[in-house]
Amino acid sequence: MAPPAQSQRSPSPSQPSGKSEVSDLKLQLRQLAGSRAPGVDDSKRELFKKVISYMTIGIDVSSLFGEMVMCSATSDIVLKKMCYLYVGNYAKVNPDLALLTINFLQRDCRDEDPMIRGLALRSLCSLRVANLVEYLVGPLGSGLKDSNSYVRMVAVMGVLKLYHISASTCIDADFPSILKHLMLHDSDTQVVANCLSALQEIWSAEASTSEEASREREALISKPVIYYLLNRIKEFSEWAQCLVLELVTKYVPSDSSEIFDIMNLLEDRLQHANGAVVLATIRVFLQLTLSMTDVHQQVYERIKAPLLTLVSSGSPEQSYAVLSHLHLLVMRAPYVFSSDYKHFYCQYNEPSYVKRLKLEMLTAVANESNTYEIVTELCEYAANVDIPIARESIRAVGKIALQQYDVNAIVDRLLQFLEMEKDYVTAEALVLVKDLLRKYPQWSHDCIAVVGNISSKNVQEPKAKAALIWMLGEYSQDMQDAPYVLESLVENWDEEHSAEVRLHLLTAVMKCFFKRPPETQSALGAALAAGIADFHQDVHDRALFYYRILRYNVSVAERVVNPPKQAVSVFADTQSSEIKDRIFDEFNSLSVLYQKPSYMFTDKEHRVPLEFADELGNLSIGEAANNVVPTQMVEENDKDLLLTTSEKEETKGSRNNGSAYTVPYDGSSTSVFASQAQIESAVSNPTLAGHSPQASFAIDDLLGLGIPATPAVPSPPQLKLNTKAALDPSTFQQKWRQLPVALSQEISVNPQGVAALTAPQALLRHMQSHSIHCIASGGQSPNFKFFFFAQKFEESSNYLVECVINTSSAKAQVKIKADDQNTSQDFSTLFESAFSKFGTS
Amino acid sequence: MISQFFVLSQRGDNIVFRDYRGEVAKGSAEIFFRKVKFWKEDGQEEAPPVFNVDGVNYFHVKVVGLLFVATTRVNVSPSLVLELLQRIARVIKDYLGVLSEDSLRKNFVLVYELLDEVIDFGYVQTTSTEVLKSYVFNEPIVVDAARLQPLGPAAIFMQGTKRMPGTAVTKSVVANEPGGRKREEVFVDIIEKISVTFSSSGYILTSEIDGTIQMKSYLSGNPEIRLALNEDLSIGRGGGTVYDYRSSSGSGAVILDDCNFHESVRLDSFDMDRTLSLVPPDGEFPVMNYRMTQEFKPPFRINCLIEEAGQLKAEVIIKVRAEFPSNITANTIAVQMPLPKYTTRASFELEPGAVGQRTDFKEANKKLEWGLKKIVGGSEHTLRAKLTFSQESHANLTKEAGPVSMTFTMPMYNVSRLQVKYLQIAKKSSSYNPYRWVRYVTQANSYVARI
């Protein structure tokens, strides 16, 4: 309840449903409407306040519309403002009544007080009623020419509002070009800033249908505009500075001296107390220097101190936002921050969302020189009263152990955790010791001695229990009582609620059986019986499978279930480098906080116009130069082309265009499917299972070991391509949408290729000579993006390729889609061999 | 670009609600509040300041128990929105004098006036208290400041020291004094938050000072102000970014790691004589933020001992020694220590003749709390606590309890030795002599001793 309502509420205890109060208000407003009595404005103010307070708490007071409008004939500005607020809120649902307000708003737009003119114009444009737009054009036109900057400022935003109500009215009135003029000539910087915001929105929205608009949008990031804005940057408010800086991020300077000029000009922005300005500046610096490795590193050094100051000077919320960005930078360049690790120590009163980030940063910066201190600090947190953070800290210690070469000291610490007698500490430590053993089997002796002392009864968490059981199975030859511990676990089969644990138990008993058959035989029988009777499908199936394979041949079973293992060298990273790069490209946005690129959490229509436009615009530039397809078409196309299939999956639900295409599965699940299928085929057919290399290949791949799928030296394949292939862009787009990714890989670009790739065109010509044609391309050094296609000779079977090249890392990400999946590998080899010749011929 | 702005009370009621673009459904306030309230089932973890529900991004900052929220569907700069929310809270406070649920409810029409001018169609127009003055016509209804917890770091001056006019910090920039004419005065506060972590052997593991020079001006006619800082002040730690506590001790120079400035500050002569010149805008704002990892003498030393004292019993001894001059007094000191989970009872024993101290054992989260009204420089205070356990402890007790943390406020004291040497106001006439208040205060941020 808002205060006026509360303080003047009738003594009756009933909550206001609003009904009687509203009709009461209606009556009172009517009485006051015509009154000219002295003090009537004060009574009106009180009534208006009540209406607004009801509106705020969500009571529908739209039925008072007529009365409110009648009462608004007043010279009292406070009353006027309340009335404007009310009208703005309800005009949309009351379009007919809204017409009533047009009259007095239009009159106020001509008031002699600029304040009234501005307010009235703003309210007029906020009505959001489509059939009233004709009344907006006149006042907006004069507002843009008003002598007072406040009115102009309001009018500019008014144009944008009009555009959202009726784009055609706005364009027909030629408002965008007036805004463009104002942007470059107005003396008031807020007017300039508003023009910039409005034009960015309007032209980005128009660009998909109008070639002219996309050219205008490009013009916003042209040298004269950027320089004009940059030279005045200090006159802008801090918020408008952010806007300008964001625009500068899209600007591509022609040479390095220009880059240094811009950086020198903006250098002092890094000392601004407003974190938004600092981060926007940092983004400019990072983007400008992407292709200049040395300078880029200097930028990292330069921005460290300002970022750390922002982290400690703002509210916890602000420091969280800054810290997330620092986190991103630390993850990209841990070595730059490795000596600053103490800044990432947690403070006891920090919220857990901050602590989590800091723990990840400590993990990332750990290296030979600071590991000891960092691990010591993390061990302190393990005893923390904040249990989730204590758990994270232990996991952090584990991660450091897995990324270090010298783990002696860390292993001791982990083993100490096991002896701490706190159940969650033990649980986390068990999981870690298991992972550690997978990477460093040489430590098994020390670890097993400690793990053997842990009573399985004290371990309740499924993950930890599974880890313990895995170790019992894996090291049953070294653990005296392994068979008996497993036996007692099997006896309590029914009390084990986690299917994961039961699965592990089955496998562990099998392994133990192979090593110590006489001691385990009875446990194995009980386990298989219990497993086959299990209601969980996976447990049932695995038990049955073990049973059958044992019956077939015990030694084959051993080769399948317990083959010799290779130590894991690197555990798979959960995020692809492409995703990480995308997040980095979206520096100073929510992507960094969510640790996801924007397409994963934004609807298509709400992507920041220029964010997307950037890539689009550049693509179309490259396109126009090549004259392959008209720009406009590419604009439409690559909005979709830019999405990979997995994104498609994400956005598919929200798209209501009725297209009935289905993507069978996305790239990531493909590989899992494939490898599972391999295992199944390997094991379900006992004769095949005998080929243990194949089985272990499949398993290794599951673990993300990444066995090279292609031979190191591509040999010219048999596939022949049509030299005169043709494909129109819309077919390409459609196919790209429908086909699954057949192959996705990273290939390196040879140094000659990097040197030759100064502009997209160079590669186009080269690939064309190999019968691989380009349909769209774009980008500036060091990042280029291409879409290629090719056709099989004398067949209409197509291959589609997305190729993203980063010349500074000399790597290309290639995605291939094919009509005929069977030949995609051949095509890939062909593509790679053609690509590798780039720059050499 | 934001879509909506609203302020919610602690119970989740809308106090003000403004929809700028009509892109987010009306029910967003409820969706937001439910999400924040039940972030994790156990209620242990706080919701992060930014999250996404069904494509809508929710930003919030907490100010005096109120939730200031913005929503948007666009991938905007989070720093910008969070900074904006904080700034809106500050502007409202400048106008209302006191920011609280009560003052917001009483003045919500004025707040709507402000919101209309601060943001238009989701784009920030201005957050300058001064610029906004010409657009705001409602008179603030001033609420009684005395019983409310005021906002902002300057609030700490409210307590204790009689020398400062308590009302100044809660004065609205637009409301006139009852006497008619406004008093010409300017406040400059040097506020330092210190973080120290002591190892179990009393060695300093990390220490940091986060400082702000905060200004609040009630000067008419926008005179220029010059603020002179220590002449030997230096910025940047000579390229060495490594923590190095010995590098500067004894030399007496104040070395800041880094600092930043409000946009009104001009640094023309800063490099020469360490003076800042500015024309202060109305309202409260930070002139300069700084950060220091230079070694400093921690104001308090904490000793803590926990040992078994028979079966199912243990004793805790906490000693706090004030290592600062005796003319300085720290106040509102609170010492906390988590105890072993199986602690069932704690009985306390204070030193003889202790006044203004209270002790408590928080059963729910097994925490020991010791509050002291004030501590005079040079003194030492001890607390003994006898603990009773419900089960035998197997492990090392020091792994089951601690660390000891401490909060305090020390007026007229700053550890960095950064000083405002003089505060010069450009004179309008010879009789013009406004009140100038330069105040120092040190607060504990994270002051922790491990055991």
Side-chain angles (χ1 to χ4, degrees):
Chain A
M1 278 299 297
Q6 200 169 35
S7 53
Q8 299 168 20
R9 198 162 58 189
S10 59
S12 93
S14 68
Q15 274 294 308
S17 65
K19 277 256 162 56
S20 62
E21 278 84 353
V22 172
S23 55
D24 200 35
L25 276 173
K26 194 170 189 148
L27 215 71
Q28 294 183 44
L29 281 168
R30 272 205 188 139
Q31 284 166 359
L32 288 179
S35 166
R36 298 235 180 273
V40 70
D41 277 353
D42 286 342
S43 349
K44 278 187 189 169
R45 275 195 191 191
E46 280 311 310
L47 281 178
F48 273 36
K49 263 192 185 176
K50 252 194 212 176
V51 174
I52 304 283
S53 84
Y54 282 167
M55 191 174 92
T56 301
I57 58 173
I59 296 175
D60 183 11
V61 284
S62 59
S63 57
L64 301 175
F65 205 97
E67 285 75 16
M68 287 293 281
V69 174
M70 274 197 279
C71 280
S72 60
T74 171
S75 55
D76 180 17
I77 195 156
V78 174
L79 268 180
K80 257 190 207 301
K81 284 179 126 182
M82 283 196 268
C83 185
Y84 292 156
L85 181 66
Y86 173 89
V87 168
N89 239 313
Y90 288 113
K92 202 175 176 181
V93 289
N94 265 324
D96 299 336
L97 286 168
L99 190 62
L100 294 174
T101 62
I102 292 284
N103 210 358
F104 82 85
L105 285 174
Q106 274 190 326
R107 195 182 55 231
D108 284 352
C109 284
R110 295 187 296 269
D111 198 281
E112 59 183 23
D113 182 352
M115 180 77 55
I116 306 269
R117 291 204 298 275
L119 287 172
L121 189 57
R122 181 184 295 153
S123 306
L124 193 61
C125 298
S126 304
L127 294 180
R128 294 183 205 161
V129 180
N131 53 6
L132 297 182
V133 289
E134 53 186 299
Y135 299 102
L136 300 188
V137 178
L140 270 178
S142 37
L144 290 171
K145 289 198 265 319
D146 202 286
S147 59
N148 185 287
S149 61
Y150 176 70
V151 183
R152 291 200 302 278
M153 201 172 96
V154 169
V156 174
M157 287 329 268
V159 169
L160 184 57
K161 290 172 194 166
L162 171 64
Y163 179 80
H164 281 269
I165 308 166
S166 164
S168 57
T169 317
C170 180
I171 304 289
D172 291 346
D174 207 22
F175 282 139
S177 58
I178 303 178
L179 294 197
K180 190 178 162 191
H181 181 83
L182 274 181
M183 181 179 80
L184 297 174
H185 297 97
D186 203 282
S187 56
D188 185 281
T189 47
Q190 194 54 45
V191 175
V192 174
N194 283 358
C195 287
L196 182 57
S197 309
L199 287 176
Q200 286 193 28
E201 260 195 58
I202 294 175
W203 277 331
S204 298
E206 285 294 301
S208 56
T209 51
S210 149
E211 215 176 307
E212 192 198 333
S214 74
R215 242 183 286 121
E216 291 286 8
R217 191 184 52 185
E218 289 309 313
L220 281 183
I221 47 173
S222 66
K223 191 166 174 174
V225 178
I226 295 286
Y227 275 47
Y228 170 76
L229 294 170
L230 273 179
N231 283 327
R232 297 179 73 183
I233 192 148
K234 280 170 202 164
E235 299 164 34
F236 286 92
S237 77
E238 47 198 315
W239 311 107
Q241 286 182 18
C242 296
L243 195 71
V244 172
L245 289 168
E246 211 173 299
L247 189 75
V248 175
T249 316
K250 330 278 179 210
Y251 173 65
V252 184
S254 55
D255 56 32
S256 56
S257 74
E258 219 187 325
I259 292 178
F260 291 123
D261 284 350
I262 296 177
M263 286 172 58
N264 284 326
L265 181 77
L266 295 178
E267 164 70 26
D268 64 350
R269 298 296 92 193
L270 291 174
Q271 280 198 332
H272 205 289
N274 185 334
V277 175
V278 178
L279 280 172
T281 310
I282 288 177
R283 182 169 184 204
V284 172
F285 280 30
L286 290 174
Q287 287 289 329
L288 285 179
T289 57
L290 260 183
S291 55
M292 309 158 84
T293 321
D294 293 354
V295 190
H296 199 65
Q297 291 307 314
Q298 287 173 21
V299 169
Y300 274 87
E301 291 289 346
R302 173 65 188 91
I303 62 185
K304 245 168 27 181
L307 280 173
L308 289 168
T309 306
L310 286 177
V311 169
S312 51
S313 63
S315 67
E317 292 91 358
Q318 287 157 303
S319 27
Y320 168 69
V322 178
L323 205 60
S324 302
H325 285 84
L326 200 56
H327 174 258
L328 174 76
L329 298 175
V330 167
M331 295 319 228
R332 275 184 85 83
Y335 49 91
V336 179
F337 297 90
S338 58
S339 56
D340 303 284
Y341 61 93
K342 284 198 178 182
H343 287 292
F344 310 139
Y345 283 2
C346 298
Q347 300 186 336
Y348 85 99
N349 52 352
E350 281 170 333
S352 43
Y353 50 79
V354 167
K355 286 184 180 164
R356 265 172 223 280
L357 282 178
K358 287 193 162 177
L359 289 178
E360 279 183 45
M361 285 151 92
L362 282 174
T363 317
V365 298
N367 63 14
E368 291 84 16
S369 63
N370 57 22
T371 298
Y372 182 79
E373 279 85 3
I374 291 179
V375 172
T376 308
E377 181 75 11
L378 288 172
C379 290
E380 288 287 340
Y381 307 154
N384 206 303
V385 282
D386 183 351
I387 292 175
I389 291 302
R391 283 175 180 274
E392 292 280 351
S393 309
I394 299 167
R395 273 176 229 157
V397 174
K399 274 189 213 151
I400 293 176
L402 291 179
Q403 76 197 18
Q404 293 291 310
Y405 298 101
D406 180 25
V407 290
N408 298 14
I410 308 180
V411 173
D412 285 346
R413 299 277 182 60
L414 278 178
L415 295 179
Q416 277 169 23
F417 285 147
L418 288 178
E419 289 160 350
M420 253 171 77
E421 295 200 8
K422 288 193 181 180
D423 47 358
Y424 59 91
V425 175
T426 312
E428 290 295 338
L430 272 175
V431 177
L432 287 178
V433 170
K434 177 210 50 172
D435 286 339
L436 203 70
L437 288 178
R438 287 172 63 198
K439 185 167 177 181
Y440 308 105
Q442 66 270 29
W443 285 99
S444 64
H445 192 72
D446 305 62
C447 294
I448 291 312
V450 180
V451 171
N453 290 333
I454 294 171
S455 162
S456 63
K457 292 188 186 66
N458 295 340
V459 182
Q460 289 308 323
E461 286 173 40
K463 279 245 175 312
K465 210 166 183 178
L468 180 62
I469 290 171
W470 182 85
M471 286 188 271
L472 284 168
E474 195 65 27
Y475 298 96
S476 41
Q477 73 278 19
D478 305 324
M479 293 164 98
Q480 195 61 51
D481 50 358
Y484 310 104
V485 177
L486 288 171
E487 187 165 9
S488 73
L489 284 164
V490 172
E491 277 165 19
N492 296 317
W493 187 275
D494 293 332
E495 283 141 48
E496 184 50 64
H497 299 293
S498 158
E500 185 192 356
V501 173
R502 297 202 299 275
L503 283 169
H504 271 277
L505 190 50
L506 272 176
T507 312
V509 175
M510 283 286 276
K511 286 179 185 167
C512 189
F513 170 73
F514 297 129
K515 288 165 190 159
R516 299 162 71 172
E519 291 162 285
T520 323
Q521 195 164 12
S522 70
L524 179 63
L528 290 177
I532 289 168
D534 203 284
F535 65 92
H536 194 276
Q537 191 68 52
D538 289 349
V539 179
H540 168 83
D541 287 0
R542 187 180 288 187
L544 198 60
F545 160 63
Y546 282 165
Y547 172 70
R548 287 182 179 156
I549 198 170
L550 280 171
R551 271 193 35 174
Y552 172 78
N553 183 333
V554 175
S555 66
V556 168
E558 179 166 11
R559 268 179 295 173
V560 171
V561 179
N562 195 28
K565 283 189 193 59
Q566 277 183 328
V568 179
S569 60
V570 181
F571 283 90
D573 206 339
T574 43
Q575 242 176 11
S576 76
S577 62
E578 190 187 340
I579 298 258
K580 286 180 188 160
D581 284 347
R582 283 226 188 185
I583 297 174
F584 182 71
D585 285 341
E586 294 172 352
F587 194 86
N588 194 23
S589 79
L590 290 167
S591 314
V592 179
L593 268 67
Y594 299 155
Q595 301 184 12
K596 286 177 189 166
S598 57
Y599 66 77
M600 291 189 181
F601 61 88
T602 349
D603 317 332
K604 208 168 168 187
E605 68 266 34
H606 288 111
R607 300 213 173 122
V608 170
L610 266 122
E611 213 63 67
F612 224 60
D614 177 28
E615 237 175 317
L616 285 176
N618 289 345
L619 275 180
S620 59
I621 292 173
E623 201 49 52
N626 270 291
N627 260 336
V628 180
V629 268
T631 322
Q632 183 199 332
M633 239 157 165
V634 172
E635 288 290 352
E636 282 172 344
N637 293 343
D638 51 22
K639 262 192 188 151
D640 284 328
L641 289 181
L642 285 167
L643 304 178
T644 65
T645 33
S646 55
E647 304 156 33
K648 287 281 190 200
E649 290 278 300
E650 297 267 345
T651 50
K652 201 169 59 180
S654 61
R655 290 158 57 105
N656 295 323
N657 57 6
S659 71
Y661 70 86
T662 49
V663 181
Y665 36 72
D666 64 18
S668 58
S669 58
T670 319
S671 61
V672 177
F673 268 60
S675 32
Q676 273 173 350
Q678 273 167 319
I679 297 177
E680 267 151 34
S681 71
V683 291
S684 62
N685 182 344
T687 49
L688 239 178
H691 305 292
S692 69
Q694 198 161 359
S696 78
F697 166 77
I699 290 164
D700 280 341
D701 208 21
L702 256 186
L703 298 177
L705 276 178
I707 285 180
T710 45
V713 185
S715 57
Q718 297 308 305
L719 190 70
K720 280 194 87 176
L721 295 176
N722 182 359
T723 48
K724 295 201 167 56
L727 192 67
D728 70 277
S730 61
T731 321
F732 184 94
Q733 185 196 352
Q734 199 184 359
K735 280 188 179 297
W736 186 262
R737 241 198 275 149
Q738 287 169 348
L739 294 168
V741 177
L743 269 170
S744 173
Q745 65 188 97
E746 187 178 84
I747 54 183
S748 31
V749 187
N750 60 35
Q752 296 95 325
V754 172
L757 193 61
T758 48
Q761 286 74 18
L763 183 63
L764 304 194
R765 270 175 242 119
H766 170 79
M767 295 308 275
Q768 194 145 20
S769 67
H770 292 265
S771 305
I772 296 168
H773 307 271
C774 179
I775 196 147
S777 67
Q780 265 97 18
S781 184
N783 289 304
F784 295 95
K785 184 165 189 167
F786 300 88
F787 287 101
F788 293 108
F789 71 94
Q791 271 166 0
K792 224 190 248 184
F793 187 61
E794 288 177 340
E795 262 181 82
S796 64
S797 177
N798 295 298
Y799 302 96
L800 314 181
V801 185
E802 180 200 74
C803 177
V804 181
I805 303 175
N806 184 307
T807 48
S808 57
S809 65
K811 288 274 187 290
Q813 305 284 343
V814 179
K815 279 203 190 84
I816 296 175
K817 301 186 178 190
D819 284 339
D820 177 4
Q821 301 280 328
N822 297 328
T823 55
S824 53
Q825 183 63 54
D826 289 343
F827 175 74
S828 160
T829 323
L830 195 106
F831 182 86
E832 212 180 316
S833 94
F835 189 75
S836 64
K837 291 188 193 116
F838 177 56
T840 55
S841 48
Chain B
M1 181 178 75
I2 65 164
S3 202
Q4 297 168 325
F5 169 85
F6 47 91
V7 180
L8 299 185
S9 74
Q10 255 157 342
R11 279 156 290 134
D13 309 331
N14 281 358
I15 301 178
V16 284
F17 185 98
R18 188 81 175 85
D19 193 333
Y20 289 106
R21 289 182 70 102
E23 292 165 339
V24 174
K26 287 267 187 281
S28 53
E30 280 106 89
I31 295 172
F32 164 79
F33 191 70
R34 217 172 303 131
K35 196 83 190 169
V36 163
K37 192 110 200 201
F38 307 105
W39 183 251
K40 284 272 158 73
E41 306 83 60
D42 55 5
Q44 277 217 339
E45 238 164 275
E46 238 181 296
V50 186
F51 54 81
N52 182 302
V53 183
D54 297 331
V56 178
N57 303 297
Y58 295 85
F59 299 78
H60 75 281
V61 300
K62 283 189 195 132
V63 186
V64 291
L66 300 167
L67 293 161
F68 283 68
V69 192
T71 65
T72 179
R73 286 186 174 276
V74 184
N75 188 16
V76 292
S77 157
S79 291
L80 188 137
V81 180
L82 292 169
E83 189 89 40
L84 173 67
L85 290 174
Q86 206 77 43
R87 210 63 75 78
I88 291 176
R90 204 157 79 199
V91 168
I92 295 176
K93 196 235 162 186
D94 280 342
Y95 277 85
L96 305 188
V98 176
L99 183 61
S100 67
E101 183 172 341
D102 191 29
S103 73
L104 265 186
R105 285 187 187 279
K106 286 211 166 80
N107 291 289
F108 72 102
V109 179
L110 190 154
V111 175
Y112 274 125
E113 273 192 287
L114 286 171
L115 290 177
D116 260 353
E117 303 300 333
V118 169
I119 298 165
D120 195 1
F121 207 52
Y123 291 100
V124 191
Q125 302 296 300
T126 180
T127 49
S128 152
T129 300
E130 192 158 346
V131 173
L132 287 165
K133 261 187 184 172
S134 47
Y135 307 125
V136 171
F137 294 89
N138 277 287
E139 286 276 328
I141 300 160
V142 181
V143 298
D144 182 12
R147 57 189 183 82
L148 288 159
Q149 197 200 346
L151 163 84
I156 47 187
F157 297 108
M158 297 282 294
Q159 49 202 341
T161 38
K162 293 261 173 359
R163 279 175 291 171
M164 287 159 231
T167 54
V169 282
T170 58
K171 204 160 73 172
S172 162
V173 291
V174 282
N176 284 322
E177 294 285 281
R181 226 171 59 84
K182 274 169 50 172
R183 187 147 89 149
E184 293 282 315
E185 55 188 347
V186 59
F187 296 84
V188 177
D189 301 331
I190 293 89
I191 301 159
E192 294 189 344
K193 291 188 181 170
I194 57 174
S195 298
V196 181
T197 308
F198 298 97
S199 73
S200 48
S201 48
Y203 167 76
I204 297 171
L205 289 170
T206 59
S207 66
E208 181 168 317
I209 304 172
D210 299 316
T212 301
I213 302 181
Q214 188 100 12
M215 188 180 275
K216 187 157 187 177
S217 158
Y218 295 94
L219 302 174
S220 58
N222 294 337
E224 184 178 300
I225 289 185
R226 286 173 69 80
L227 261 176
L229 307 177
N230 310 34
E231 271 170 36
D232 56 1
L233 178 76
S234 62
I235 295 165
R237 296 173 64 84
T241 48
V242 196
Y243 267 84
D244 182 3
Y245 296 110
R246 279 149 303 160
S247 65
S248 57
S249 59
S251 71
V254 178
I255 305 170
L256 306 181
D257 286 35
D258 185 52
C259 57
N260 61 37
F261 303 94
H262 187 260
E263 61 175 350
S264 65
V265 176
R266 273 178 294 113
L267 299 168
D268 306 339
S269 59
F270 186 70
D271 285 338
M272 268 164 47
D273 56 6
R274 296 301 181 206
T275 57
L276 309 168
S277 52
L278 68 154
V279 175
D282 284 352
E284 192 174 281
F285 67 98
V287 175
M288 170 181 170
N289 297 307
Y290 57 92
R291 183 167 56 80
M292 240 175 106
T293 48
Q294 185 189 8
E295 186 184 64
F296 61 89
K297 193 169 186 209
F300 292 99
R301 285 274 172 182
I302 308 168
N303 272 316
C304 178
L305 206 68
I306 180 165
E307 52 188 19
E308 269 181 84
Q311 216 182 359
L312 300 177
K313 282 195 179 359
E315 191 178 30
V316 175
I317 302 170
I318 303 176
K319 245 185 216 139
V320 170
R321 200 165 65 242
E323 301 196 320
F324 48 87
S326 55
N327 58 343
I328 302 287
T329 306
N331 50 42
T332 53
I333 300 102
V335 180
Q336 283 197 337
M337 177 179 170
L339 298 174
K341 286 275 167 280
Y342 38 81
T343 311
T344 49
R345 230 165 59 81
S347 61
F348 298 98
E349 190 186 313
L350 289 168
E351 58 211 342
V355 281
Q357 299 191 19
R358 62 173 183 80
T359 53
D360 198 3
F361 169 59
K362 289 269 187 261
E363 180 82 51
N365 48 14
K366 308 289 184 196
K367 243 183 201 172
L368 168 163
E369 288 184 2
W370 177 26
L372 298 95
K373 275 224 173 80
K374 58 179 183 181
I375 296 183
V376 181
S379 65
E380 186 178 283
H381 299 272
T382 312
L383 172 75
R384 285 165 189 276
K386 293 200 167 17
L387 312 180
T388 312
F389 297 151
S390 61
Q391 66 176 70
E392 203 137 351
S393 140
H394 304 286
N396 188 349
L397 266 181
T398 56
K399 291 252 185 265
E400 306 278 319
V404 182
S405 61
M406 190 172 174
T407 58
F408 51 83
T409 300
M410 301 172 69
M412 305 321 283
Y413 182 76
N414 73 330
V415 282
S416 72
R417 296 194 304 268
L418 179 89
Q419 283 182 310
V420 173
K421 293 283 185 195
Y422 62 83
L423 169 63
Q424 199 178 61
I425 304 172
K427 282 205 169 154
K428 286 188 281 193
S429 66
S430 54
S431 63
Y432 182 69
N433 198 9
Y435 293 90
R436 280 167 263 198
W437 307 94
V438 178
R439 310 179 289 191
Y440 295 87
V441 72
T442 297
Q443 280 182 306
N445 183 22
S446 165
Y447 206 86
V448 175
R450 292 182 177 153
I451 59 168

